[in-house]
């Protein structure tokens, strides 16, 4: 059994209980982490609180140096950590290496730079001075789908800001967070600055959220759990940042390069077996091009070979757990019951062992169908027809979510005009690439606040006015 990381040392949980970590490709237990208790949260919060006065007064550039050293070790160990992530949550190894490990290393480096560049003195308003100061002790709660990236998106800006942290990683895929804790320990982060208590959301997560000495909670996960976190945090008037679900639209206007838009759209929807909060899970296509788009999507989708995530040529690994696989299968059944047309994939198990789901595409999806409204979190793409630009915008905005999306048009100007109309936190125009410095976060029920870059740092800062 692994341990908890509190005040710079590894400790056993008082609960004595554990959570098995399962490799979703083999269904075998590969590790066991403590199922922490509320009693385990106490010393972790106390350590973070005790470390705060001195850490918050450390020069930001010093804090940045420790993060840069951590990023260096992360790059050195990238292959080993990527293998851990693959066995922990099933992403094909190349995805685990590039997207799940090296990209977060880049995010860590970006915050090391920002520690040097960001001016915590924000200038004057009339006679008054405006300064930014760390919010205090941060409780960070993260999901399993990008188990290292989601942790770094919170811990890096919090530490640069001068906050101290208690992390509760996902109990479903906790091993990348353990690798990061080892790295923070080795680079000599002072005791108490970073602490980690593994365990279940309703136990460890809620103990953090309700703790009077935790000043802020930063949560990434489902909208359902996020709602609960926000409600509980209100009791102690904590700052809350929420990164929640999505049902993003890939809006393809009639004058766009259809082949490129469909190919990139399918790739986006199926990345990480569709377990990506910002995935473009709805492809919106004009009636005139609808049949051609469906044909192109099926052709592209067939190339997503399902298999062992370590095998060469595998593009879709297993889903993270049996529960997630069953949930996705229920949605595929629901899509058929509601009259959508299955044009690729379905509910058959592609392999005898492992929590696999075929790449699945539905055509004939109408606005309002369950598979058009709800986040499925699996390799399931819904292709929805539209008749006019206004109707397309209405469909794109017609869910409770607003996290990401895309617009394709014949000119950048036209695509930009539509992108500006959408009620969503991020939009890619004509294939614009993901930018790890650009603000990331949701409108509507996709969340509150932003991660990454300067916007991500400012989430962890209070504003003080000094009146002169
Ligand atoms: P989840 O909500 O079940 O769990 C997320 C984390 O919250 C876990 O650590 C879990 O233990 C904890 N948790 C659960 N219930 C809690 C409670 N009552 N109080 C405190 N903590 C609690 O989500 P998941 O299944 O791990 O992740 C998938 C979801 O995360 C998807 O809905 C996805 O869209 C979302 N997600 C969002 C983003 C984003 O940036 N917007 C990124 C990745 C994932």
């Amino acid at each position: 059994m692994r341990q908890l990381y509190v005040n710079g040392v590894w400790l056993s949980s008082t609960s004595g209980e554990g959570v098995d970590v399962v490799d979703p490709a083999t269904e075998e237990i590969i590790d066991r982490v403590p199922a922490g208790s509320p009693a385990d949260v106490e010393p972790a919060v106390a350590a973070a609180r005790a470390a705060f006065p001195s850490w918050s007064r450390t020069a930001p550039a010093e804090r940045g140096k420790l993060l840069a050293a951590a990023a260096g070790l992360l790059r050195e160990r990238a292959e080993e950590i990527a293998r851990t992530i693959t066995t922990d949550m099933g992403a094909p190894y190349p995805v685990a290496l590039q997207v799940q490990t090296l990209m977060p290393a880049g995010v860590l480096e970006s915050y090391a730079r920002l520690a040097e560049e960001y001016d915590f003195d924000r200038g004057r308003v009339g006679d008054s001075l405006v300064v930014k100061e760390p919010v205090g002790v941060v409780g960070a709660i993260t999901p399993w789908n990008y188990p290292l990236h989601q942790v770094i998106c919170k811990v890096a800006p919090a530490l640069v800001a001068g906050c101290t942290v208690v992390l509760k990683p996902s109990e479903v895929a906790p091993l990348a967070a353990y690798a990061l804790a080892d790295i923070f320990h080795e680079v000599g982060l002072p005791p108490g600055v970073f602490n980690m208590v593994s365990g279940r959301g309703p136990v460890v997560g809620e103990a953090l959220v309700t703790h009077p000495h935790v000043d802020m909670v930063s949560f990434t996960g489902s909208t359902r759990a996020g709602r609960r976190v926000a409600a509980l945090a209100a009791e102690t008037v904590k700052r809350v940042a929420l990164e929640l679900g999505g049902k993003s639209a890939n809006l393809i206007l009639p004058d766009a390069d259809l082949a490129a838009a469909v190919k990139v759209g399918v790739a986006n929807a199926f990345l990480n077996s569709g377990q990506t909060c910002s995935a473009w899970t709805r492809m919106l296509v004009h009636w005139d091009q609808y049949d051609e788009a469906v044909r192109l999507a099926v052709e592209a989708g067939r190339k997503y070979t399902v298999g062992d995530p370590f095998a060469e040529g595998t593009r879709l690994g297993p889903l993270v757990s049996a529960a997630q696989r069953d949930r996705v299968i229920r949605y595929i059944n629901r899509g058929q019951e509601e009259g959508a047309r299955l044009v690729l994939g379905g509910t058959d198990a592609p392999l005898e062992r492992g929590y696999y789901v075929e790449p699945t595409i539905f055509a004939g999806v109408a606005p309002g169908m369950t598979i058009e409204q709800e986040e499925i979190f699996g390799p399931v793409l819904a292709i929805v027809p539209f008749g006019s630009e206004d109707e397309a915008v209405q469909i794109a905005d017609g869910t409770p979510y607003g996290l990401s999306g895309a617009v394709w048009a014949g000119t950048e100007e036209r695509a930009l005009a539509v992108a500006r109309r959408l009620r969503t936190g991020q939009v890619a125009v004509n294939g614009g690439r993901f930018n790890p410095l650009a603000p990331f976060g949701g409108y509507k029920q996709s969340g509150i606040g932003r991660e990454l870059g300067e916007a991500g740092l400012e989430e962890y800062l209070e504003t003080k006015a000094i009146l002169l």
Side-chain angles (χ1 to χ4, degrees), residues 76-110:
E76 247 176 73
R77 297 178 190 171
E79 291 183 0
E80 178 195 333
I81 292 174
R83 278 195 295 277
T84 300
I85 292 176
T86 292
T87 47
D88 204 1
M89 53 71 66
Y93 177 72
V95 174
L97 181 63
Q98 292 301 328
V99 185
Q100 297 263 18
T101 309
L102 294 176
M103 186 180 76
V107 172
L108 201 47
E109 284 155 357
S110 77

Short mmCIF file of all heavy atoms in Angstrom, two decimals, residues 76-110:
data_model
loop_
_atom_site.label_atom_id
_atom_site.label_comp_id
_atom_site.label_asym_id
_atom_site.label_seq_id
_atom_site.Cartn_x
_atom_site.Cartn_y
_atom_site.Cartn_z
N GLU A 76 13.02 14.22 -17.53
CA GLU A 76 13.97 13.10 -17.44
C GLU A 76 13.23 11.77 -17.27
O GLU A 76 13.64 10.76 -17.81
CB GLU A 76 14.82 13.31 -16.19
CG GLU A 76 16.28 13.58 -16.45
CD GLU A 76 16.97 13.87 -15.13
OE1 GLU A 76 17.18 12.93 -14.32
OE2 GLU A 76 17.25 15.05 -14.89
N ARG A 77 12.15 11.81 -16.51
CA ARG A 77 11.41 10.57 -16.19
C ARG A 77 10.18 10.39 -17.07
O ARG A 77 9.31 9.58 -16.74
CB ARG A 77 10.95 10.60 -14.73
CG ARG A 77 12.10 10.64 -13.81
CD ARG A 77 11.65 10.72 -12.38
NE ARG A 77 12.81 11.00 -11.56
CZ ARG A 77 12.78 11.30 -10.29
NH1 ARG A 77 11.63 11.36 -9.66
NH2 ARG A 77 13.90 11.54 -9.63
N ALA A 78 10.09 11.16 -18.15
CA ALA A 78 8.84 11.20 -18.92
C ALA A 78 8.40 9.82 -19.39
O ALA A 78 7.22 9.47 -19.29
CB ALA A 78 8.99 12.15 -20.10
N GLU A 79 9.35 9.01 -19.86
CA GLU A 79 8.93 7.71 -20.42
C GLU A 79 8.38 6.80 -19.33
O GLU A 79 7.36 6.14 -19.52
CB GLU A 79 10.11 7.06 -21.14
CG GLU A 79 10.44 7.86 -22.39
CD GLU A 79 11.55 7.26 -23.23
OE1 GLU A 79 12.08 6.21 -22.84
OE2 GLU A 79 11.86 7.86 -24.27
N GLU A 80 9.04 6.82 -18.18
CA GLU A 80 8.58 5.99 -17.07
C GLU A 80 7.20 6.46 -16.58
O GLU A 80 6.29 5.65 -16.33
CB GLU A 80 9.63 6.13 -15.96
CG GLU A 80 9.37 5.40 -14.70
CD GLU A 80 10.28 5.93 -13.57
OE1 GLU A 80 11.38 6.46 -13.87
OE2 GLU A 80 9.85 5.84 -12.41
N ILE A 81 7.04 7.77 -16.48
CA ILE A 81 5.76 8.31 -16.01
C ILE A 81 4.66 8.03 -17.03
O ILE A 81 3.53 7.67 -16.68
CB ILE A 81 5.89 9.81 -15.68
CG1 ILE A 81 6.80 9.98 -14.45
CG2 ILE A 81 4.52 10.46 -15.43
CD1 ILE A 81 7.14 11.40 -14.08
N ALA A 82 4.99 8.16 -18.32
CA ALA A 82 3.99 7.88 -19.36
C ALA A 82 3.55 6.41 -19.29
O ALA A 82 2.36 6.10 -19.45
CB ALA A 82 4.56 8.22 -20.74
N ARG A 83 4.50 5.51 -19.03
CA ARG A 83 4.12 4.08 -18.90
C ARG A 83 3.18 3.90 -17.71
O ARG A 83 2.20 3.16 -17.77
CB ARG A 83 5.37 3.21 -18.72
CG ARG A 83 6.06 2.88 -20.05
CD ARG A 83 7.06 1.73 -19.89
NE ARG A 83 8.17 2.07 -19.02
CZ ARG A 83 9.26 2.74 -19.39
NH1 ARG A 83 9.40 3.10 -20.66
NH2 ARG A 83 10.21 3.03 -18.53
N THR A 84 3.47 4.62 -16.63
CA THR A 84 2.59 4.54 -15.45
C THR A 84 1.20 5.02 -15.80
O THR A 84 0.19 4.40 -15.43
CB THR A 84 3.18 5.42 -14.31
OG1 THR A 84 4.46 4.94 -14.00
CG2 THR A 84 2.30 5.40 -13.08
N ILE A 85 1.13 6.13 -16.54
CA ILE A 85 -0.19 6.67 -16.89
C ILE A 85 -0.95 5.70 -17.79
O ILE A 85 -2.15 5.47 -17.62
CB ILE A 85 -0.04 8.08 -17.53
CG1 ILE A 85 0.46 9.07 -16.46
CG2 ILE A 85 -1.36 8.55 -18.15
CD1 ILE A 85 0.75 10.47 -16.97
N THR A 86 -0.24 5.08 -18.73
CA THR A 86 -0.90 4.11 -19.61
C THR A 86 -1.48 2.95 -18.81
O THR A 86 -2.63 2.55 -19.03
CB THR A 86 0.09 3.61 -20.69
OG1 THR A 86 0.37 4.71 -21.56
CG2 THR A 86 -0.50 2.48 -21.51
N THR A 87 -0.72 2.42 -17.86
CA THR A 87 -1.27 1.28 -17.10
C THR A 87 -2.32 1.74 -16.10
O THR A 87 -3.19 0.98 -15.71
CB THR A 87 -0.16 0.51 -16.33
OG1 THR A 87 0.65 1.46 -15.66
CG2 THR A 87 0.68 -0.33 -17.24
N ASP A 88 -2.26 3.00 -15.72
CA ASP A 88 -3.20 3.52 -14.73
C ASP A 88 -4.56 3.83 -15.35
O ASP A 88 -5.60 3.57 -14.75
CB ASP A 88 -2.60 4.81 -14.13
CG ASP A 88 -3.14 5.12 -12.76
OD1 ASP A 88 -3.96 4.35 -12.25
OD2 ASP A 88 -2.73 6.15 -12.20
N MET A 89 -4.54 4.45 -16.56
CA MET A 89 -5.84 4.86 -17.12
C MET A 89 -6.07 4.50 -18.59
O MET A 89 -7.15 4.78 -19.11
CB MET A 89 -6.13 6.34 -16.86
CG MET A 89 -5.12 7.37 -17.27
SD MET A 89 -4.99 7.60 -19.06
CE MET A 89 -6.60 8.29 -19.42
N GLY A 90 -5.09 3.88 -19.25
CA GLY A 90 -5.38 3.26 -20.54
C GLY A 90 -5.07 4.07 -21.78
O GLY A 90 -5.30 3.59 -22.89
N ALA A 91 -4.54 5.29 -21.65
CA ALA A 91 -4.23 6.07 -22.86
C ALA A 91 -3.14 5.36 -23.66
O ALA A 91 -2.18 4.85 -23.06
CB ALA A 91 -3.74 7.47 -22.48
N PRO A 92 -3.25 5.30 -24.99
CA PRO A 92 -2.16 4.71 -25.79
C PRO A 92 -0.84 5.38 -25.41
O PRO A 92 -0.80 6.60 -25.19
CB PRO A 92 -2.56 5.04 -27.23
CG PRO A 92 -4.05 5.19 -27.18
CD PRO A 92 -4.35 5.77 -25.83
N TYR A 93 0.23 4.60 -25.37
CA TYR A 93 1.50 5.11 -24.85
C TYR A 93 1.94 6.42 -25.52
O TYR A 93 2.35 7.36 -24.81
CB TYR A 93 2.59 4.03 -24.95
CG TYR A 93 3.92 4.55 -24.49
CD1 TYR A 93 4.17 4.79 -23.15
CD2 TYR A 93 4.92 4.87 -25.42
CE1 TYR A 93 5.38 5.32 -22.73
CE2 TYR A 93 6.14 5.41 -25.01
CZ TYR A 93 6.36 5.62 -23.67
OH TYR A 93 7.54 6.16 -23.25
N PRO A 94 1.85 6.55 -26.86
CA PRO A 94 2.28 7.84 -27.45
C PRO A 94 1.47 9.03 -26.94
O PRO A 94 2.00 10.12 -26.77
CB PRO A 94 2.07 7.63 -28.97
CG PRO A 94 2.01 6.16 -29.15
CD PRO A 94 1.45 5.59 -27.89
N VAL A 95 0.19 8.80 -26.67
CA VAL A 95 -0.66 9.87 -26.12
C VAL A 95 -0.24 10.15 -24.67
O VAL A 95 -0.13 11.30 -24.24
CB VAL A 95 -2.16 9.47 -26.19
CG1 VAL A 95 -3.04 10.51 -25.49
CG2 VAL A 95 -2.61 9.29 -27.64
N ALA A 96 0.03 9.07 -23.95
CA ALA A 96 0.46 9.23 -22.55
C ALA A 96 1.76 10.02 -22.48
O ALA A 96 1.95 10.83 -21.57
CB ALA A 96 0.61 7.86 -21.89
N LEU A 97 2.65 9.78 -23.45
CA LEU A 97 3.94 10.47 -23.42
C LEU A 97 3.79 11.94 -23.85
O LEU A 97 4.17 12.85 -23.12
CB LEU A 97 4.94 9.74 -24.33
CG LEU A 97 6.34 10.34 -24.36
CD1 LEU A 97 7.01 10.28 -22.99
CD2 LEU A 97 7.22 9.61 -25.39
N GLN A 98 3.20 12.14 -25.03
CA GLN A 98 3.17 13.51 -25.58
C GLN A 98 2.15 14.40 -24.86
O GLN A 98 2.47 15.52 -24.47
CB GLN A 98 2.80 13.47 -27.08
CG GLN A 98 3.87 12.85 -27.96
CD GLN A 98 5.20 13.58 -27.86
OE1 GLN A 98 5.27 14.79 -27.66
NE2 GLN A 98 6.29 12.83 -27.99
N VAL A 99 0.93 13.89 -24.75
CA VAL A 99 -0.16 14.74 -24.26
C VAL A 99 -0.28 14.69 -22.74
O VAL A 99 -0.53 15.71 -22.10
CB VAL A 99 -1.51 14.30 -24.91
CG1 VAL A 99 -2.62 15.26 -24.52
CG2 VAL A 99 -1.38 14.21 -26.42
N GLN A 100 -0.07 13.50 -22.20
CA GLN A 100 -0.33 13.34 -20.76
C GLN A 100 0.90 13.67 -19.90
O GLN A 100 0.75 13.88 -18.70
CB GLN A 100 -0.76 11.89 -20.46
CG GLN A 100 -2.06 11.48 -21.12
CD GLN A 100 -3.24 11.62 -20.18
OE1 GLN A 100 -3.16 12.31 -19.17
NE2 GLN A 100 -4.34 10.99 -20.50
N THR A 101 2.11 13.65 -20.50
CA THR A 101 3.32 13.87 -19.68
C THR A 101 4.12 15.08 -20.15
O THR A 101 4.42 15.98 -19.35
CB THR A 101 4.21 12.61 -19.70
OG1 THR A 101 3.41 11.48 -19.36
CG2 THR A 101 5.35 12.73 -18.71
N LEU A 102 4.48 15.12 -21.44
CA LEU A 102 5.34 16.22 -21.89
C LEU A 102 4.57 17.55 -21.93
O LEU A 102 5.13 18.60 -21.63
CB LEU A 102 5.97 15.89 -23.24
CG LEU A 102 6.95 14.71 -23.18
CD1 LEU A 102 7.48 14.34 -24.56
CD2 LEU A 102 8.12 15.01 -22.23
N MET A 103 3.29 17.50 -22.30
CA MET A 103 2.52 18.75 -22.28
C MET A 103 2.46 19.33 -20.85
O MET A 103 2.77 20.51 -20.67
CB MET A 103 1.13 18.55 -22.86
CG MET A 103 0.37 19.87 -22.98
SD MET A 103 -1.27 19.70 -23.66
CE MET A 103 -2.18 19.03 -22.30
N PRO A 104 2.09 18.54 -19.84
CA PRO A 104 2.13 19.11 -18.48
C PRO A 104 3.52 19.57 -18.05
O PRO A 104 3.63 20.54 -17.28
CB PRO A 104 1.60 18.00 -17.58
CG PRO A 104 1.29 16.85 -18.44
CD PRO A 104 1.40 17.24 -19.87
N ALA A 105 4.58 18.90 -18.53
CA ALA A 105 5.94 19.39 -18.21
C ALA A 105 6.09 20.80 -18.77
O ALA A 105 6.65 21.69 -18.11
CB ALA A 105 7.00 18.45 -18.79
N GLY A 106 5.55 21.02 -19.97
CA GLY A 106 5.59 22.36 -20.57
C GLY A 106 4.78 23.37 -19.76
O GLY A 106 5.19 24.52 -19.61
N VAL A 107 3.66 22.92 -19.22
CA VAL A 107 2.83 23.82 -18.39
C VAL A 107 3.60 24.20 -17.12
O VAL A 107 3.64 25.38 -16.73
CB VAL A 107 1.47 23.16 -18.04
CG1 VAL A 107 0.71 24.00 -17.03
CG2 VAL A 107 0.64 22.94 -19.30
N LEU A 108 4.28 23.22 -16.54
CA LEU A 108 5.09 23.50 -15.33
C LEU A 108 6.17 24.53 -15.68
O LEU A 108 6.40 25.49 -14.92
CB LEU A 108 5.71 22.17 -14.87
CG LEU A 108 6.18 22.01 -13.44
CD1 LEU A 108 5.17 22.50 -12.43
CD2 LEU A 108 6.51 20.53 -13.16
N GLU A 109 6.81 24.35 -16.83
CA GLU A 109 7.85 25.31 -17.26
C GLU A 109 7.25 26.70 -17.50
O GLU A 109 7.87 27.71 -17.18
CB GLU A 109 8.54 24.80 -18.54
CG GLU A 109 9.52 23.69 -18.25
CD GLU A 109 9.78 22.76 -19.43
OE1 GLU A 109 9.15 22.93 -20.50
OE2 GLU A 109 10.61 21.86 -19.29
N SER A 110 6.05 26.73 -18.06
CA SER A 110 5.45 28.04 -18.33
C SER A 110 5.20 28.78 -17.02
O SER A 110 5.37 30.00 -16.94
CB SER A 110 4.15 27.90 -19.14
OG SER A 110 3.09 27.46 -18.31
#
